Amino acid sequence: MFALFQTIDLALNIYTWILIGSAIFSWLYAFNVINSSNQFVNSVGTFLYNVTEPALKPIRRFLPNLGGIDISPIILLLIIFFLRTLLWTTLYPLVA
């Protein structure tokens, strides 16, 4: 059971870093720091968008319009932090 909990925790940790990378990539793209016509940059951006958008889209539906500020990644990071804490402090002691 410990291996299952570690695997879930690792997957959530990797998704956290992908989410942070996606936010940084979107800032670099918005401020035209990276070349958007580069094929590698475009494929990285597409990958990050396709991986993070299914989790961010439902959160964006519930958030009010804040203009150009998107706080949905922060909300998702808080949810992931809550799930990881719940996993180790509540669920794991019950099955260990």
Side-chain angles (χ1 to χ4, degrees):
M1 213 50 186
F2 182 69
L4 176 66
F5 281 98
Q6 273 192 322
T7 305
I8 293 170
D9 186 55
L10 178 64
L12 289 173
N13 190 20
I14 290 171
Y15 195 76
T16 297
W17 286 107
I18 290 174
L19 193 60
I20 291 169
S22 176
I24 292 171
F25 185 87
S26 71
W27 294 337
L28 293 175
Y29 188 82
F31 292 120
N32 211 12
V33 174
I34 54 178
N35 186 5
S36 60
S37 62
N38 186 339
Q39 186 178 4
F40 177 74
V41 171
N42 191 17
S43 64
V44 168
T46 303
F47 168 76
L48 292 173
Y49 178 81
N50 288 337
V51 170
T52 58
E53 190 61 24
L56 293 174
K57 192 179 231 182
I59 296 172
R60 287 187 184 126
R61 281 189 282 151
F62 292 106
L63 292 177
N65 187 4
L66 299 174
I69 300 172
D70 183 20
I71 62 168
S72 59
I74 296 170
I75 303 297
L76 185 56
L77 286 173
L78 289 172
I79 291 170
I80 291 172
F81 177 75
F82 172 77
L83 288 174
R84 289 180 72 192
T85 305
L86 179 74
L87 181 75
W88 289 111
T89 60
T90 306
L91 298 179
Y92 181 69
L94 292 177
V95 295

